[in-house]
Each structure stands twice: as C-alpha cells, then as structure tokens.
Amino acid sequence: MSTPQYFKSFPNLDYTISANKAGIPTNIKIKDYFHLLRIREDIFKKDTLYYKYVIRNGERPDQIAYKEYGQEGWYWIVLQTNDIVDYYNEWPLSFQELEKFILRKYGSYEKAGEPHHWETENTYDEEGNLVLHGGLVVSQDFYYEYPMIAGGSLFKTAFPVPVSNREHEERLNEKKSHINLLQKKYIPDIIRDIHNYSKNLKGTNVKTRARVIPAQPTS
C-alpha cells in the first residue's frame, strides 16, 4: 500500500522505547494514532452516500481506492467507511490465503470437511407453500414434521443438513467481501472534517472515537 495521509495533520507524541538504570526514558516521536474516527451511524444509513461493492479475489484497499477514486492513498477511506480497524482479520482473504488459514486452523483437510454445525433447508409442502425457512442453526437430531398439503392429515419429515468447517469459513470470508464505498463527491468533506479535528488535538495517549459527518454539497 502507499503511504497513508490519514495521520498527516495529527500531532506527534513522545513514545518511550527504553529507560536507563536511573529511570530516564529514551523517547521517540510518533504520530498520535490513538484517535479513531468513524462515520456516524445515522449518516451511514443514508443510502445516497454509499454504494455496494464486492471485493474481488486478492483485491486490496489501495487497489479499490485507485480504481474507484483515482487515488490509492485514499485506501483509509475504504477501511474507515466500513469501520475496519484490524485489516488482517476483517478484510477477506484471497483463495490461497483462505486455504492456508483453514488448514492451519483445523489441522487437516479431513478435519476441515467435518461438520461445523447443522442447518435447516427451505422446505415446501406439495402445494409450494414454504413451511420451514432454511439457514436456521439447529442440533444434529433436529427434525420437522409438516403436512403434505395445508390442513391435510398426511405428514412428511424434514431433516437438517451439515455445514462443514470449510464451508463455514468460506461463508464468513464471503461476507467480508461485501462492503460499502463512499460516493467520491463526499471525499473532500471527509478529508476536511478530519483535518479540522486533528489540528485541534494535542499529543495524548488516550484513544477516542470522534464522529465524522460528511457535509451535503451546496448548490
């Protein structure tokens, strides 16, 4: 990734890296990165500010920023918009990375294929009526009896299906790939708000969560 500009206007703070026998510390100057800003939740719910985006296999935030905004250095906007603070755990893995992760977590391909949990499937009676929703997590011995036709006296039985450890991890990874991107026209508002916020900061080691509100464009 390119060098981020997010902390450019943030103040420096003294960070102690060692101390001598007399207790005199040796400090270095670092950026005060203990301030995490996020989009206000009520603003985030406004669909007109965002659009859906599906991350491609192995795609990075800086690549998305360059493709969508023309500036790879704005990758922090991609992360901030989706409230991602732990890139290594909150960003989707590539196919190869996911395969290695699954093998490392479960120890073998056989273990990865074992059931993680059991789920119901969409179940319909013979008239096409949905009688049981799929995707419900249930126990392995779960079963559901339902009439073959509405009001009938003949019943059928539905059983759950296993979801393997591999499928479970693939689902979680797929879910991470669906993100929201801020409309490009609001980026100047975000940058301005962050600059105004950061210039009033003093060096501190206290983490805060300030609120950034993108302003509506004037006509």
Side-chain angles (χ1 to χ4, degrees):
M1 294 183 183
S2 62
T3 302
Q5 299 297 313
Y6 180 81
F7 292 105
K8 182 178 180 180
S9 301
F10 281 59
N12 293 324
L13 58 81
D14 291 322
Y15 183 81
T16 301
I17 58 174
S18 64
N20 60 22
K21 294 181 179 180
I24 300 175
T26 298
N27 298 327
I28 61 173
K29 294 288 186 180
I30 65 171
K31 281 294 180 181
D32 184 359
Y33 56 83
F34 293 100
H35 296 271
L36 176 62
L37 285 79
R38 64 185 303 183
I39 307 296
R40 243 175 51 181
E41 291 184 4
D42 59 327
I43 297 294
F44 184 80
K45 293 178 180 179
K46 294 187 176 181
D47 295 337
T48 56
L49 300 178
Y50 304 91
Y51 58 96
K52 302 293 184 181
Y53 185 89
V54 179
I55 301 170
R56 297 179 180 178
N57 178 44
E59 197 170 32
R60 303 189 310 267
D62 58 322
Q63 294 172 324
I64 296 174
Y66 181 77
K67 182 171 67 174
E68 298 297 311
Y69 302 142
Q71 295 281 351
E72 63 178 9
W74 286 345
Y75 70 82
W76 58 267
I77 295 179
V78 176
L79 298 176
Q80 186 183 74
T81 299
N82 293 279
D83 203 21
I84 295 176
V85 296
D86 184 354
Y87 172 77
Y88 294 101
N89 290 306
E90 298 180 282
W91 193 261
L93 300 173
S94 68
F95 296 151
Q96 290 182 333
E97 291 170 336
L98 181 60
E99 187 69 23
K100 292 179 181 178
F101 170 80
I102 292 174
L103 186 59
R104 183 171 63 253
K105 181 174 181 177
Y106 296 100
S108 68
Y109 293 110
E110 290 74 18
K111 291 288 185 180
E114 293 179 354
H116 180 274
H117 63 271
W118 297 76
E119 290 184 359
T120 59
E121 293 184 298
N122 281 339
T123 304
Y124 302 85
D125 64 19
E126 294 189 355
E127 296 178 323
N129 300 309
L130 178 65
V131 295
L132 178 65
H133 287 279
L136 303 176
V137 178
V138 295
S139 62
Q140 181 179 355
D141 58 358
F142 172 87
Y143 67 92
Y144 178 76
E145 290 185 344
Y146 61 97
M148 295 176 63
I149 59 174
S153 58
L154 298 178
F155 286 77
K156 298 180 70 175
T157 304
F159 298 94
V161 295
V163 176
S164 69
N165 292 319
R166 174 181 295 279
E167 186 177 358
H168 172 69
E169 298 297 341
E170 289 174 344
R171 288 183 182 181
L172 293 178
N173 199 61
E174 172 66 19
K175 186 177 181 180
K176 294 177 185 178
S177 69
H178 294 264
I179 62 174
N180 293 294
L181 292 182
L182 183 71
Q183 295 281 356
K184 186 176 181 179
K185 62 183 177 181
Y186 295 112
I187 290 180
D189 300 308
I190 291 289
I191 294 176
R192 184 193 64 242
D193 286 352
I194 289 176
H195 176 73
N196 290 338
Y197 171 75
S198 61
K199 72 180 182 180
N200 293 319
L201 290 176
K202 295 181 179 180
T204 179
N205 59 1
V206 178
K207 183 177 180 180
T208 62
R209 296 179 70 85
R211 305 290 186 171
V212 177
I213 308 175
Q216 295 292 331
T218 57
S219 57

